[in-house]
Amino acid sequence: MPTVVYHLPDGSNSVVEVPAGQSVMDGSVRNNLPGIIAECGGSCSCATCHVYLGEDAAQCFGEPSMEERDLLEYLEGASPGSRLACQLIVRAEMGIVEVTVAQSGG
Ligand code: FES
């Protein structure tokens, strides 16, 4: 099963197996990890599932949609590696992917 390594806001890491077809947000919420609030439940409208991707991970997941881009643009603390975790769908062939979870609410 694909594995997501979450680098959490408190500096710790959590390693979670996330079934293909689920999002990086799902993997976090199902395991009660801190940082990803996911207020909107994954419909790309709340931006409380902000994560940062390194280059490798960014390539894995492909380009963000226009909708996601619009939200990221107004997000405090956004950087070029910023993504919304609910839009990052895990695929079987990914292996291990690393994400850095942004501070809650930002
Ligand atoms: S969970 Fe709301 S935008 Fe991702």
Side-chain angles (χ1 to χ4, degrees):
M1 204 183 283
T3 300
V4 180
V5 181
Y6 296 86
H7 299 288
L8 300 172
D10 68 358
S12 65
N13 297 323
S14 227
V15 180
V16 175
E17 288 188 340
V18 180
Q22 292 194 4
S23 69
V24 170
M25 177 278 274
D26 289 323
S28 174
V29 168
R30 279 170 209 274
N31 289 280
N32 295 315
L33 302 185
I36 294 179
I37 299 166
E39 253 172 35
C40 75
S43 56
C44 197
S45 60
C46 71
T48 62
C49 61
H50 183 197
V51 297
Y52 302 104
L53 300 184
E55 261 177 47
D56 288 353
Q59 282 195 354
C60 256
F61 287 111
E63 293 293 307
S65 65
M66 280 300 286
E67 203 180 10
E68 183 182 349
R69 253 186 254 252
D70 282 351
L71 276 175
L72 288 169
E73 201 171 320
Y74 296 105
L75 197 53
E76 202 177 317
S79 80
S82 289
R83 293 295 302 269
L84 298 179
C86 66
Q87 303 302 302
L88 303 174
I89 305 301
V90 171
R91 286 179 287 111
E93 66 273 21
M94 270 184 181
I96 298 175
V97 65
E98 302 201 26
V99 307
T100 298
V101 178
Q103 293 286 349
S104 297

